[in-house]
Amino acid sequence: MRARFATVAVLALGLTAARSDPFAGRTAGPPAQCVDTSVTMSGPSIYDDNSIVINPGGKRMWKAKVRGQCPGLRPFNTLIVERWGSQICRNDRFQVLQQGMSIPSQWCFFDGFVPYERGRK
């Protein structure tokens, strides 16, 4: 029984470590103040504890920085973005809803966006 538990723990650790880097093979461009989200195929998703990815499947994807600290900003949590129109801009606010919780975090703020493109030199 102990050997079976250890095997499951090692497999779970391997799956966590195998998370692929969505920025691999892409080149960063000049930062922007806003991102047009009307044409993205997927909504913003949390990349790590200070970055959010917008449109991870397209030719151009955006890495949104977060101003200051934002509690609960971890992969697999849910973003609640306050939108006015088709763009998300610097200083727009959002909240994080942690898994299993019903009350979102305090307001957090976007702090600029960096485009990453494939095939750009």
Side-chain angles (χ1 to χ4, degrees), residues 33-53:
Q33 296 292 313
C34 295
V35 173
D36 182 8
T37 57
S38 65
V39 295
T40 60
M41 298 306 290
S42 62
S45 60
I46 301 170
Y47 176 65
D48 59 23
D49 60 352
N50 67 353
S51 304
I52 296 169
V53 176

Side-chain angles (χ1 to χ4, degrees), residues 15-111:
L15 291 174
T16 303
R19 188 178 112 188
S20 64
D21 182 8
F23 303 105
R26 295 178 184 261
T27 306
Q33 296 292 313
C34 295
V35 173
D36 182 8
T37 57
S38 65
V39 295
T40 60
M41 298 306 290
S42 62
S45 60
I46 301 170
Y47 176 65
D48 59 23
D49 60 352
N50 67 353
S51 304
I52 296 169
V53 176
I54 301 170
N55 198 26
K59 181 179 178 183
R60 175 184 290 167
M61 60 185 280
W62 297 86
K63 183 176 188 178
K65 289 295 188 179
V66 176
R67 187 174 70 214
Q69 295 291 319
C70 184
L73 196 63
R74 290 178 194 78
F76 304 112
N77 286 342
T78 302
L79 288 176
I80 303 170
V81 179
E82 185 176 74
R83 289 181 44 160
W84 301 96
S86 64
Q87 292 185 328
I88 298 175
C89 294
R90 185 174 188 267
N91 294 324
D92 281 356
R93 62 188 192 170
F94 64 92
Q95 294 176 295
V96 179
L97 183 61
Q98 295 184 29
Q99 289 184 356
M101 303 298 283
S102 60
I103 300 173
S105 72
Q106 66 191 29
W107 288 109
C108 301
F109 297 88
F110 290 107
D111 192 28

